[in-house]
Amino acid sequence: MNKYLVLIIAALSGAELQAQTLAPAPRLVVNITIDQLRTDYIEYFAPKYSDDGLRRLFDNGRVYQAASYPFTPVDHASAIATISTGTTPYYNGILSTRWLDRNTLRPVFCVDDSKHYTSPWRLATSTIGDELKVSSHGAAIVWSVAKNRESAVLSAGHAANGAIWYDDITKDWRSSTYYTPKEVEWFNSYKRILEKIDDSKYVTNDDVSKLALQAMTTTAMGKDEVSDLLSVTFTAASTTNDVSNWQIEMEGVYMKLDKTLAHFISEVEKAVGKDHVLFVVTSTGYVEQTDGDLSRYNIPTGTFYINRTANLLNMYLSAIYGQGRFVETCFHNQMYLNHKLIEQKRLGISEVLSRCQEFLVQNSGVGDVYTSERLLEGNNDILKLRNGFNPMLSGDIIIAVTPGWKLVNEETQEIYSPRASFVPFPIIFFGAGVVAEHINTAVTTDRIAPTITKAIHIRAPNACSSEPLF
């Protein structure tokens, strides 16, 4: 036999063997994100958990204990977008819940849509659900349920069957006309029998769980060999921010969360089968909290007024380059320059940015100043800041205030108090044959998407360059 023919046969046999040993894709992936979940609180209240919730996940799951986000700052919108796209705001375009529109100089909400009220059109890249729809030629079922619309829509993606959230204004669950009306028909009929939540009651994790289970059951998710995706957002956040009784309050939050997870996981397994469902659990990786008056405790503090500083910067630049409003506006800790004015005066943007940086770093309360050019250089020491920056959406200048200081914009009445504190949280894979293991190696959440897509044998989202976790 020709030796080349032998090699070809051997190669084909090896490929055939590999295909035979390839683990079957789970029929259903349940992607659970828990807003503000913390490992230290999970561990602190562990003795009070049941055997079927958080304890079961930690004992029987593949647990990455040192997870973090590869960018800063993080909020729930940017966190959800990174989990679903496998990339950072630099590429997916979701900087935060709100940012400033450069054209109108007005704040925009991340999922606002003038035509449909709500849609994922601002999400610039594909998601896990999108790739699942493409690979299955539309046969896969993709749904998302959350308390707020940004979490629901950014988890679902562009091609999903539907996203469901609770509307605080109408006090009702709703979806969007962006999704095919036929797809949400079951929801429109089902929500009529849901209990109307009045102003005196919070939307609970149990409410979200109930609706997610209904979506799974009604749309027959996980009932065939085509993988489906159900994204659910729960919360582990405080409801009162009562610092004096934080232990009692957070114990109640985590006990209820444990109970919700136990029931939710059990019901999903009953419907789909333990061997056919993969659960992925992680956190949004930040914590909302107020510091109060730090000066009472002799902690160094102060207030940086960004609007006043912008006015002084305008006077400084006008003295150098001639009269003009060089800083158009401020939003959060960012300043937006007037590019038309700079072009009209035939100035180099690099020179103007350098002048701004030199002026701003001399102000009390300024820890550092990051210009767009400095961030685009992408040096490793500021890589997380660069990943949270988007050249088409972000300001030209980002100010990092000194730790302990707060940033105030008197024109908009906004108070911005950034914190650099590390928030510990896990990434957990559970079910579908995943071997239990605890891993202490530091990992980032942009690796969740490629791990899920690898498990269901499809390509990763189109801006995801990170490696799967396993």
Side-chain angles (χ1 to χ4, degrees):
M1 185 181 293
N2 187 298
K3 65 179 182 179
Y4 296 108
L5 184 59
V6 172
L7 290 172
I8 292 170
I9 292 172
L12 289 173
S13 299
E16 203 171 90
L17 180 62
Q18 185 179 10
Q20 290 174 354
T21 58
L22 192 67
R27 293 182 178 179
L28 176 63
V29 175
V30 181
N31 198 8
I32 303 173
T33 304
I34 305 175
D35 189 36
Q36 302 183 55
L37 182 73
R38 300 175 55 134
T39 302
D40 49 351
Y41 284 2
I42 294 173
E43 293 174 345
Y44 190 79
F45 302 119
K48 299 181 180 292
Y49 299 148
S50 67
D51 292 331
D52 301 319
L54 287 165
R55 180 172 294 163
R56 185 181 177 204
L57 290 171
F58 269 78
D59 289 348
N60 300 312
R62 185 179 179 90
V63 182
Y64 292 87
Q65 300 184 126
S68 65
Y69 279 82
F71 66 93
T72 189
V74 180
D75 73 351
H76 63 275
S78 58
I80 294 286
T82 291
I83 293 168
S84 65
T85 64
T87 192
T88 63
Y90 186 87
Y91 294 105
N92 67 39
I94 305 299
L95 296 171
S96 59
T97 306
R98 295 179 184 273
W99 61 83
L100 202 70
D101 186 319
R102 276 187 171 276
N103 297 319
T104 64
L105 296 182
R106 292 187 176 186
V108 296
F109 193 76
C110 59
V111 293
D112 271 355
D113 184 327
S114 58
K115 181 179 179 181
H116 299 286
Y117 167 62
T118 297
S119 83
W121 77 273
R122 297 184 196 274
L123 188 62
T125 64
S126 69
T127 65
I128 302 167
D130 295 339
E131 296 296 340
L132 187 53
K133 279 287 190 180
V134 171
S135 67
S136 66
H137 304 287
I141 304 169
V142 178
W143 278 89
S144 176
V145 182
K147 177 182 175 181
N148 58 66
R149 60 186 174 122
E150 59 269 30
S151 295
V153 171
L154 296 174
S155 293
H158 306 86
N161 296 75
I164 303 168
W165 65 88
Y166 184 76
D167 192 311
D168 287 323
I169 298 175
T170 63
K171 304 300 177 186
D172 205 356
W173 295 92
R174 66 180 299 174
S175 188
S176 168
T177 55
Y178 170 85
Y179 303 103
T180 309
K182 182 181 178 182
E183 298 290 356
V184 297
E185 186 177 343
W186 73 265
F187 165 65
N188 290 329
S189 60
Y190 176 73
K191 74 174 184 178
R192 295 190 188 98
I193 66 173
L194 286 171
E195 177 187 357
K196 191 98 170 173
I197 298 174
D198 58 38
D199 291 335
S200 63
K201 180 189 174 188
Y202 288 99
V203 177
T204 67
N205 289 329
D206 285 338
D207 297 321
V208 175
S209 171
K210 181 179 180 181
L211 204 48
L213 291 171
Q214 185 66 30
M216 177 194 69
T217 303
T218 307
T219 60
M221 300 182 84
K223 295 300 183 182
D224 57 28
E225 298 303 317
V226 178
S227 297
D228 300 320
L229 175 66
L230 176 62
S231 295
V232 183
T233 305
F234 293 132
T235 182
S238 164
T239 56
T240 65
N241 287 318
D242 185 355
V243 178
S244 61
N245 292 311
W246 74 267
Q247 184 174 342
I248 296 173
E249 182 188 357
M250 295 314 298
E251 179 180 320
V253 168
Y254 276 74
M255 291 285 289
K256 289 177 182 177
L257 174 64
D258 176 67
K259 185 177 179 181
T260 300
L261 285 170
H263 175 73
F264 181 72
I265 291 171
S266 174
E267 291 301 307
V268 172
E269 288 180 332
K270 285 179 186 176
V272 181
K274 292 182 179 180
D275 296 332
H276 299 303
V277 57
L278 172 64
F279 294 92
V280 184
V281 182
T282 193
S283 169
T284 50
Y286 75 100
V287 174
E288 288 181 349
Q289 55 189 22
T290 55
D291 289 329
D293 183 7
L294 297 180
S295 62
R296 291 178 55 193
Y297 307 99
N298 298 318
I299 298 173
T301 186
T303 302
F304 173 77
Y305 295 96
I306 191 168
N307 58 302
R308 296 183 192 178
T309 306
N311 291 333
L312 290 173
L313 179 57
N314 270 321
M315 294 171 61
Y316 170 73
L317 294 174
S318 294
I320 299 173
Y321 300 120
Q323 287 298 313
R325 188 174 177 81
F326 290 87
V327 181
E328 285 195 292
T329 192
C330 303
F331 187 74
H332 290 337
N333 62 335
Q334 303 181 32
M335 292 184 178
Y336 291 76
L337 298 183
N338 188 336
H339 286 250
K340 288 184 179 179
L341 177 63
I342 293 170
E343 289 176 7
Q344 287 171 2
K345 290 181 176 287
R346 298 183 179 180
L347 303 173
I349 187 67
S350 296
E351 180 190 340
V352 175
L353 287 171
S354 179
R355 293 274 192 181
C356 291
Q357 185 174 19
E358 289 173 3
F359 175 84
L360 291 169
V361 294
Q362 299 177 53
N363 286 264
S364 298
V366 175
D368 206 342
V369 176
Y370 302 93
T371 65
S372 55
E373 288 197 340
R374 182 182 174 191
L375 290 169
L376 287 172
E377 289 173 358
N379 295 330
N380 288 334
D381 59 329
I382 57 172
L383 187 58
K384 289 187 73 170
L385 274 169
R386 181 264 191 188
N387 287 341
F389 170 85
N390 186 289
M392 300 299 293
L393 304 172
S394 300
D396 300 283
I397 300 165
I398 298 176
I399 297 172
V401 295
T402 304
W405 281 57
K406 62 183 177 182
L407 183 149
V408 174
N409 189 329
E410 294 169 303
E411 294 175 358
T412 62
Q413 301 302 309
E414 180 189 22
I415 300 175
Y416 186 72
S417 301
R419 291 180 66 93
S421 303
F422 172 68
V423 177
F425 68 92
I427 300 173
I428 306 171
F429 293 85
F430 172 77
V434 172
V435 177
E437 185 178 359
H438 279 237
I439 299 159
N440 293 318
T441 306
V443 298
T444 50
T445 52
D446 54 331
R447 297 177 67 184
I448 292 175
T451 307
I452 292 175
T453 54
K454 179 184 175 184
I456 52 183
H457 313 321
I458 63 171
R459 66 186 182 185
N462 59 13
C464 175
S465 60
S466 301
E467 295 181 1
L469 287 166
F470 61 94

